[in-house]
Amino acid sequence: MSAGLSGSGGRPGAGRARVLDYVAAVTATVGGRALPLGGVALPNRRLVLRWLRRQALRLADAHGCSLPPPAGWLGARDVRPVTFHGSDAPEALRAWAGDHGSQDHALGALESGLPALLTVVDPFVGLRVTLGAWPVDLVGWAAQAPAGHPPPFRSEGV
């Protein structure tokens, strides 16, 4: 008997173990309006967390400076920059990106099937920047998607 999820019935992929991919996105919210800054889908949680750390540092380092060049290792575009009016949000982004305990907590959440989220606030203008990652069952999605519906964009890691 092959390993798989019970109750998968006659759906495509029945009898195969689920393959989870991970999605990450960065969103800015101001005045109740959300603006997506960028996102990516990757095959494992370590790569998606690496992408989020890079984006946190890029956003923090852009505070009062020009942005570092885009990442070549993912083949995916980096997020669009935002302008922070104070240093609290950039410092919180830097602190999160450099804190191994926070990274372990985020990896554990993703491994458990939960999202990993970080929101920083620029109180001077009410700007909220949220970095998030969550697991997605692309095999299950493809099995349940309507015929002819293209799969979501996916960037491959190294």
Side-chain angles (χ1 to χ4, degrees):
M1 183 167 179
S2 61
L5 293 176
S6 62
S8 57
R11 291 184 297 171
R16 292 188 349 211
R18 285 195 187 258
V19 177
L20 292 179
D21 282 53
Y22 295 84
V23 175
V26 179
T27 305
T29 306
V30 67
R33 186 171 179 189
L35 172 68
L37 300 177
V40 68
L42 294 165
N44 70 58
R45 63 186 179 276
R46 291 194 184 277
L47 285 176
V48 84
L49 192 58
R50 182 178 172 188
W51 185 86
L52 278 179
R53 276 195 316 265
R54 174 165 169 79
Q55 303 318 308
L57 291 172
R58 279 179 50 80
L59 290 168
D61 291 347
H63 179 63
C65 303
S66 59
L67 278 172
W73 61 268
L74 273 184
R77 297 207 276 151
D78 285 317
V79 298
R80 291 181 277 175
V82 296
T83 301
F84 294 109
H85 297 287
S87 61
D88 291 347
E91 290 305 317
L93 289 167
R94 268 190 209 92
W96 177 82
D99 180 21
H100 295 292
S102 294
Q103 304 309 308
D104 288 342
H105 180 74
L107 283 172
L110 292 171
E111 185 176 19
S112 299
L114 300 171
L117 300 170
L118 169 72
T119 298
V120 296
V121 178
D122 184 347
F124 294 102
V125 292
L127 173 69
R128 298 170 60 90
V129 176
T130 301
L131 291 81
W134 53 96
V136 178
D137 178 8
L138 291 179
V139 171
W141 179 87
Q144 296 175 12
H149 194 281
F153 173 75
R154 177 177 172 183
S155 295
E156 293 296 331
V158 178

